């Protein structure tokens, strides 16, 4: 059982480039989340999805988009990366929003 | 929005000591979870505890929702307990978690 996988593990990206971070879970969870973690700021929710076909905005959605075409996958896209999007990105999932959240290993993204 | 405050921000202890970490929140919640982030960055869920008390080995947690706080107890600390402990709450009516800033725990051998 893999749980939640994220790809890539790390990436260095030039400003202005488009980037998609991948997240896949095999637990058949309905809800999925994207967070960013920055030093001194804890984890902040970017976008979430309570079920396939629906998405919602979190605390810091600007500059990011998501889609939820099926239960297992929840990609996060940066349409035109900026240096302030340098961060560690975590994907998480839960059976529903009131249940235990499980986190992926994270993607370290550096935008130069 | 809801405010989540964790204390202390940093805690340094010797192996074998006990510790209590606190999480205060400013509004009613329908979800509260504790997480441990190890020194390699991995986030592990410790407890889902919107109210009441739970225990798992050397760890236990209590949430008093009416008074808007939760406590995480770690007994007989081990060096592997080091890392950052996060409290995250789900505000009433909101389908998401808001994280506190964390408590950094260092257990020295």
């Amino acid at each position: 059982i893999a749980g939640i996988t994220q790809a890539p593990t790390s990436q260095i990206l030039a400003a202005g480039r488009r980037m998609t971070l991948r997240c896949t879970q095999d637990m058949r969870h309905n809800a999925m989340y994207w967070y960013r973690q920055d030093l001194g700021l804890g984890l902040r929710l970017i976008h979430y999805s309570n079920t396939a076909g629906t998405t919602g905005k979190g605390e810091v959605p600007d500059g990011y988009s998501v889609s939820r075409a099926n239960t297992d996958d929840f990609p996060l896209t940066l349409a035109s990366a900026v240096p302030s999007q340098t961060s560690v990105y975590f994907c998480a999932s839960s059976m529903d929003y009131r249940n235990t959240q499980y986190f992926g290993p994270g993607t370290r993204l550096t935008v130069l | 929005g809801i405010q989540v405050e964790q204390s202390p921000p940093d805690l340094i202890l010797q192996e074998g000591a006990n510790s209590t970490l606190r999480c205060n929140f400013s509004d009613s919640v329908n979800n509260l979870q504790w997480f441990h982030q190890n020194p390699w960055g991995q986030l592990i869920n410790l407890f889902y505890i919107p109210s009441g008390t739970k225990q798992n080995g050397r760890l236990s947690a209590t949430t008093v929702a009416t008074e808007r706080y939760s406590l995480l107890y770690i007994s007989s600390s081990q060096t592997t307990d080091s890392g950052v402990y996060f409290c995250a709450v789900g505000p009433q009516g909101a389908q998401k978690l808001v994280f506190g800033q964390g408590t950094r725990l260092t257990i020295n051998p």
Side-chain angles (χ1 to χ4, degrees):
Chain A
I1 297 177
I4 301 178
T5 58
Q6 293 185 235
T9 302
S10 65
Q11 182 75 44
I12 299 174
L13 190 65
R17 297 296 296 269
R18 179 183 180 90
M19 177 73 190
T20 295
L21 307 185
R22 300 185 297 279
C23 174
T24 299
Q25 53 102 0
D26 63 2
M27 297 178 283
R28 307 305 294 172
H29 284 170
N30 292 311
M32 297 187 74
Y33 314 86
W34 274 106
Y35 295 89
R36 60 178 288 173
Q37 185 175 29
D38 303 290
L39 208 59
L41 293 176
L43 283 97
R44 294 179 293 169
L45 182 66
I46 305 171
H47 285 287
Y48 65 96
S49 168
N50 286 325
T51 188
T54 69
T55 62
K57 293 182 179 181
E59 300 171 70
V60 288
D62 294 343
Y64 306 95
S65 64
V66 292
S67 61
R68 187 89 184 276
N70 57 60
T71 298
D72 299 344
D73 302 299
F74 191 42
L76 177 74
T77 297
L78 289 67
S80 179
V82 295
S84 61
Q85 292 177 310
T86 293
S87 187
V88 180
Y89 291 86
F90 287 98
C91 179
S93 72
S94 61
M95 184 56 65
D96 62 49
Y97 76 94
R98 287 196 184 190
N99 278 275
T100 300
Q101 284 193 18
Y102 298 90
F103 279 77
T107 292
R108 183 174 296 275
L109 181 66
T110 302
V111 182
L112 302 176
Chain B
I2 195 167
Q3 302 299 311
V4 184
E5 295 184 5
Q6 292 187 241
S7 60
D10 292 279
L11 188 57
I12 301 174
L13 298 171
Q14 291 298 120
E15 203 167 22
N18 301 329
S19 58
T20 300
L21 282 58
R22 187 176 181 101
C23 173
N24 292 334
F25 42 96
S26 61
D27 208 342
S28 300
V29 299
N30 60 16
N31 190 342
L32 191 145
Q33 302 187 32
W34 283 96
F35 296 87
H36 175 220
Q37 187 169 37
N38 65 25
W40 296 271
Q42 186 181 14
L43 280 154
I44 302 296
N45 189 286
L46 299 175
F47 293 103
Y48 168 77
I49 187 165
S51 64
T53 296
K54 290 186 177 180
Q55 181 158 5
N56 184 4
R58 296 181 295 103
L59 273 62
S60 64
T62 295
T63 297
V64 184
T66 54
E67 297 186 20
R68 300 181 182 170
Y69 73 89
S70 183
L71 302 173
L72 178 69
Y73 306 97
I74 305 173
S75 63
S76 304
S77 298
Q78 301 176 357
T79 56
T80 52
D81 294 330
S82 295
V84 182
Y85 289 80
F86 289 102
C87 168
V89 304
Q92 290 282 1
Q95 299 175 348
K96 58 186 180 182
L97 290 179
V98 177
F99 279 73
Q101 297 301 299
T103 291
R104 181 174 299 277
L105 178 64
T106 302
I107 305 297
N108 291 321

